[in-house]
Every structure is written in C-alpha cells, then in structure tokens.
Amino acid sequence: MIISVSWRNIWRNKTRSLVVITAITLGIMAGVFSTAFMKGMMDKRIESAIHTELSHIQIHDSLYSKTNELKYYMQGTDALARRIDTLPHVSGVTQRIIVQSMISSAETGAGVKIMGIRPEEERKVTDIAEHITDGKYFEGIKRYPVVIGEKLAHKLNVRERSKVVITLQDLNNNLTAGAFRVAGIYKTSNTVFDESNVFIRYEDLAQLTGLPPGACHEIAIRVEDNRYTLPVRARINTLLTGRERALTWTEISPEMSYVTQVMDMYMYIFIIIILLALLFGIINTMLMVILERHKEIGMLLAIGMSRMRIFFMIIVETVLLSLTGGVTGIVLGTWLSKHFETHYIDLSMFGKGLEQLGYSSLVNTSIDPVMVINVTFMVIVTGIIAAIYPAWKAIHYDPAEALRIE
Amino acid sequence: MNIIEIKDLVKIYDSAEIKVTAVDHIDLTFEKGEFSAVVGPSGSGKTTFLNLLGGLDRPTAGTVIIDGTDLWSLKPRQIIDFRLHNIGFVFQSYNLLPVLTALENVEFIMHLQGRPKAERTKRAVELLQAVGLGDRLHSRPGKLSGGQQQRVAVARALASKPKFILADEPTANLDSHATENLLNIMEKLNREEQITFIFSTHDARVVKKARRVITLEDGKVLSDERR
C-alpha cells in the first residue's frame, strides 16, 4: 500500500514530475546512446583491425616476434597451415613472408612493410581485397603485381599499372631489388596502415629474399567468431613443437584491448556525470515535495506511521520517479541505438582525422546489455541517494508543529 | 473506569524572547465512554492540551497515564506506536491523504497496524457506512465536501480501534448542516459503542451536545462541568 501511495504521490503535481522525468529521460537516453556510439566505434575499430590488419591468431618464431629479422623464419609450414585449416571454427589460414623494405617510384620512395602473401588464402583471412578502390586484387598484371594503399600511392604519385621498385636485403644480407607493377590500390579506414603495408605474391618475395619453399614469418588464422579465438589458440598450441608461438590479437596488439577497457571506463564516468547532474535536480524536487507535504507528514506521524515507514515511503517515491525517467531513457536510448546498429552515422566531415586514428567515418552503434543493466542499477542508486536527505528531513518533522501549519 | 489520568501537567514554550505557559498544572481524569468538550478562548491552551494528551507534544512537567501506561515515559518510537494502537485523531482540516480514496484512507491506518487486507477492507466499508458514506467509498477527498471528508476522518480514527478519539476543532471548517450531521454520528458512536471522544472546540453546537465541558483559560482549568 505504501508503494501505491508513493506512486500516486508522484502524479500529484504532474507538471513538476514530468519535468523531472523528462530531464532524467533525456539524460539517460543521451548517456545510453553515447555509450552505444562509442562502443560501436570501438567495435568497428577492433573488427577492422582483426579483419584487415591482425587476424585473430598469428604464429611466429618467437625470435622473429622479438627482432623482426628476416632470418627467423619458420620452415616447412605448409603442413602446419593445412592441419590448422582443418581445426573446428577456423575459417581461414594464410602464410606470409614479411620484410621491412623500401619502395620507390620514379619520383620518391618510402619505407614500408612488404608482405608476401598467397592472395586466395589471404582473402579468407583478411579483407584487403574488399577495399580495392582502383585496379584489381592481384589481377590484370601477370608478372610481379603489387597491391598498395591509397595513401602510399598518393605519396609515391603512382596509380594502377605504374611501376615501382622494391629494394630489400636478402637472407645473405645482399641488397636486392625487384620491379613491380601496381595491380590494385586499396583504402581501409586506417590511413597509417594504408601508407605502410604493401602486398606482393608469396613466390615473388620468396624469390627475392631467397627463403626456401614453405618458409614464412607469419601464419595468420581467422576464426568464425572472436569467442573461438582462445579455444582455437589452445588447439594450435598442441600442434606447435619448436620455437613457434601462437598469439591472439589482444596479445599482438595489447593497446587495442586497453583502449576498449579505457573507453568502458570513460563511458561509466560519462554516465556518472549525467546522473550527478540529475541527482541535484531530484534532491531539489523532493525537498519541494516534502516542504509542500509538511502538514501531511505531520498527520502521518500523528496517526502513528513510524518514521522508518515515512523514510521508506519517500525513498520509494524518489526511486520510482527516477526509475520512470531512467527506464524511459534506457528504452529510448536502446531503441535509438538499435536503429543505428543497422543505419550508419556518417561522420565523413571528420573522416580524415578519424582515419588517421584508424577509425571509420561510418559508425554503427553497438548496445551492450550489461551496460544497460548497470545503468538501470545506477539510476536506482541515484534515486536512493537523492531521497536520503529529503527523507531524513521529513522524518525529523515535529508532528504538533506540522499540524499547526495552515 | 478511568482510561486517562492527567497529573500536574505543565507545558511551557520557552523561546529566547518570551516564555509562555500554555498548560498550567492541570489534573484531570477521563472515563471510558465520555463525550467531552474542552473549551476556551483562542490561546487558552486547548490544542496544546490535546497534543500533550495525544503524545504529539512533550510536556514540561507532569504525567499522562493512558490505560495504565505512562505515555511520556515511553521512547519516541514507542510513543508513535502507542498512538497507532490507542489514540484516534480527527483534525480541524481533515488531513486525509488526497491520493487515496475514502475507503483506502480508512484502510491505511489498519495497514500500518499490520492487519490483513480482507479484514481491513471489511471494517473500512462498515465504518464508512456507519458515517453515512457507503456510496462514496471510492471517491477521493477532492471529490468530497468538507463534511464528508471530516466523516471519513472520523471513520479513519475509529478504524484503529483506539481507546479514545481526540478531535481538535472538528467542526471549525463545516457549515451548520454538516456540523449537525457529524455531531449526530459521533454522538451515536459514543452512545452505542462506548467510543470515548474528547473535543477541543469553541463551537456552541458541539458544546451543547457534550456531556462534560472543561473550560480552559490561560492554560488552567477554569471549570469542569458534567451534565
């Protein structure tokens, strides 16, 4: 019955309650949407990093991981790659030769990472082929094709079918060079990646470097879903016998998971700031409420309602008021976030800056159910905190004095 | 049989600027079934006296013993609980909860006492019928006249089965018809169910109905007349 009284009390002054509820609704809706937006941006960055740059798991010679030296390649990896490809939940496996080198055009040169890949296998692991904006992915050029990023192409002032020269040190530390023609130009959401990664055929790079057949520096593995990363890595570990080590994408790029954690923390700080602002609004409203009901509270004390029950009644009223706005805000924020899960938010006016940081300018939101539950809980706690002072004030009313008020 | 014994009751309001003796050494007893009026001019101490009797205001000195319990020896929390189970209140401005219907207002006090839903609904309906509001059970106070609201207040006061009912100027805001109606109901309840009523009033119509009239002046009992 007390809960019913509390609920009805909220609607005694509809305008005032609706103003407070609207403020809470807008605050929480903005909070939920903003966190979904930030999470969507982060998820997309991670997804792009995995699908374009890192893959889920990589295997290297442990010395190569430390030094990135050409000589620390893994031998006879074809059988291992085939075996990994048969593991459950593995959707693609590719072997790569990786060399730090120079790429030059007729006009200028740049230091880049050359990756010798097998295009058909690479397609199953990374999505560079889907980012081709000019030319084709290793098609159209029969001898020594190269695929470079758009940013690098601009830097070198080259386009499709232009000639570039790749200069590198071979296994015997001799300087060697090869002339390549641009088969395709790709553009990802990360301009730094586009500027520094060049793809040529595995066989071409093996020939240039003098690596034996089946040798590679990296085996990249894509799994069906990120949740299979750890189980698949555990299976792969049982297949490794030498110095090879299998690393997950969070181990290869720890800053990526740190950014996620930091972003989570920022999201909660953001919500807490919103709730703090709302807290004082709610306290103010509830102080007005108990001042208006001074006489009524005096009557309740007079007829024998305990101070604890009056305290509880005001706490319940405040929590219900906060929850009404909070839940409405969560529902609207979730609805808005769900809408933008399938519809892009176009930030192309900030695209250049975002792409420098590796973020796409087309963002989808991503709502986290745990965050929604936590926000609901935080709204309840805010309601309780906001109610404590007004409720404490109410229970200290003197009934005789309160009843004298006309 | 005495249900209230008041001994040497004193209440002094002592502010920084002025000291006012609102109740000045009052000794009185009330028996079960009394229909008493406390009268006197404004400022004579009627309301303060009723507040001391009802456990709403702490006396400066003296005792109030209700059915063997020294009211002011109880802890504050116990006094609230004592009021809930032993004293009914009717206020000048009704003081019903505006968000509850007449029925719910009467039920509310029984809810506080922890009585089961079925029992409190049954009793609330009976009481509202007894005060002539059987057809307004589901009306909120805002939809009732002053007289009807005061009758709901009487039903609420009776709902807790108190030892006595304190009514502070219960007819002050009512017209003559509503006053007559209310007094008849309270007189009937007093006569038929031995409910003890103690009023503070300066309404001549209430005084006329009372069987005992205690006159206060400057916080002292000027006269105590039984009829």
Side-chain angles (χ1 to χ4, degrees), chain A residues 318-372:
Chain A
T318 319
V319 169
L320 288 176
L321 181 77
S322 311
L323 261 184
T324 306
V327 169
T328 313
I330 287 168
V331 168
L332 289 177
T334 305
W335 171 79
L336 202 60
S337 305
K338 281 275 171 201
H339 174 76
F340 284 107
E341 269 185 3
T342 49
H343 297 77
Y344 282 115
I345 300 168
D346 189 352
L347 300 175
S348 46
M349 60 192 297
F350 310 112
K352 214 168 177 181
L354 287 169
E355 284 169 11
Q356 280 284 343
L357 295 168
Y359 290 91
S360 169
S361 57
L362 295 174
V363 181
N364 285 117
T365 50
S366 169
I367 192 104
D368 178 5
V370 175
M371 190 272 297
V372 172

Side-chain angles (χ1 to χ4, degrees), chain B residues 90-106:
Chain B
V90 176
F91 306 99
Q92 182 180 332
S93 45
Y94 332 128
N95 287 346
L96 300 174
L97 284 173
V99 294
L100 299 183
T101 63
L103 183 69
E104 289 166 336
N105 262 289
V106 180

Side-chain angles (χ1 to χ4, degrees), chain A residues 1-2 5 8-9 12 295-296 299-307 309 398-400 403-404 406, chain B residues 13 51 56-57 80 83-84 89 91 93 95 97-100 104 107-109 111-112 120 140 156:
Chain A
M1 198 167 193
I2 287 174
V5 171
R8 292 188 209 179
N9 274 337
R12 280 166 75 165
K295 190 167 187 172
E296 189 176 303
M299 177 277 291
L300 291 171
L301 285 166
I303 66 169
M305 188 168 179
S306 69
R307 293 186 196 274
R309 272 186 156 149
D398 173 3
L403 286 165
R404 268 196 287 273
E406 283 307 320
Chain B
Y13 290 106
N51 284 345
L56 298 178
D57 218 351
I80 292 176
R83 282 202 297 265
L84 177 63
F89 289 90
F91 306 99
S93 45
N95 287 346
L97 284 173
V99 294
L100 299 183
E104 289 166 336
E107 271 189 56
F108 188 71
I109 197 160
H111 168 76
L112 297 179
R120 59 184 198 239
R140 288 198 180 182
R156 177 180 68 185

Side-chain angles (χ1 to χ4, degrees), chain A residues 66-217:
Chain A
K66 286 177 191 161
T67 62
N68 283 338
E69 282 187 46
L70 180 68
K71 62 184 178 186
Y72 295 123
Y73 57 85
M74 299 178 287
Q75 292 195 60
T77 53
D78 291 348
L80 177 64
R82 279 197 299 275
R83 178 73 188 90
I84 292 169
D85 208 11
T86 61
L87 292 177
H89 307 301
V90 170
S91 54
V93 180
T94 190
Q95 295 149 273
R96 297 167 178 162
I97 298 171
I98 303 170
V99 185
Q100 300 295 332
S101 77
M102 279 288 292
I103 187 166
S104 331
S105 66
E107 289 185 23
T108 184
V112 290
K113 186 162 93 176
I114 306 285
M115 287 209 252
I117 59 164
R118 290 178 170 140
E120 288 317 305
E121 287 175 5
E122 191 69 29
R123 271 179 193 274
K124 293 179 190 166
V125 177
T126 58
D127 59 1
I128 296 295
E130 293 160 30
H131 292 285
I132 297 292
T133 56
D134 202 5
K136 287 185 176 167
Y137 187 64
F138 291 101
E139 286 175 30
I141 305 288
K142 282 191 179 173
R143 295 191 67 202
Y144 300 113
V146 62
V147 171
I148 63 172
E150 192 180 86
K151 179 98 176 175
L152 183 63
H154 283 146
K155 193 173 175 181
L156 298 175
N157 196 17
V158 295
R159 44 192 185 148
E160 190 199 348
R161 306 193 79 82
S162 294
K163 192 173 162 187
V164 291
V165 174
I166 292 172
T167 310
L168 51 85
Q169 267 189 332
D170 68 11
L171 262 184
N172 300 318
N173 290 331
N174 295 321
L175 211 56
T176 181
F180 290 78
R181 264 189 204 282
V182 177
I185 295 171
Y186 68 88
K187 183 181 186 297
T188 67
S189 57
N190 186 346
T191 50
V192 176
F193 179 84
D194 296 355
E195 195 178 358
S196 56
N197 288 274
V198 170
F199 298 89
I200 62 173
R201 281 187 187 140
Y202 174 88
E203 298 78 24
D204 298 341
L205 192 53
Q207 189 189 348
L208 271 177
T209 53
L211 254 62
C216 74
H217 294 106

Side-chain angles (χ1 to χ4, degrees), chain B residues 124-194:
Chain B
V125 171
E126 284 170 2
L127 287 167
L128 285 166
Q129 281 169 343
V131 296
L133 291 171
D135 57 340
R136 304 305 301 269
L137 298 178
H138 303 292
S139 300
R140 288 198 180 182
K143 300 282 179 195
L144 299 173
S145 68
Q148 288 171 326
Q149 286 187 58
Q150 197 61 300
R151 281 188 273 155
V152 176
V154 170
R156 177 180 68 185
L158 287 165
S160 63
K161 297 184 179 172
K163 292 194 168 67
F164 61 95
I165 290 175
L166 293 174
D168 187 16
E169 310 252 11
T171 59
N173 293 340
L174 304 183
D175 61 29
S176 58
H177 177 71
T179 299
E180 186 67 28
N181 204 346
L182 183 75
L183 286 172
N184 287 339
I185 287 166
M186 292 199 289
E187 198 180 25
K188 187 172 172 232
L189 287 165
N190 169 261
R191 196 174 55 244
E192 293 177 1
E193 298 184 30
Q194 286 288 294

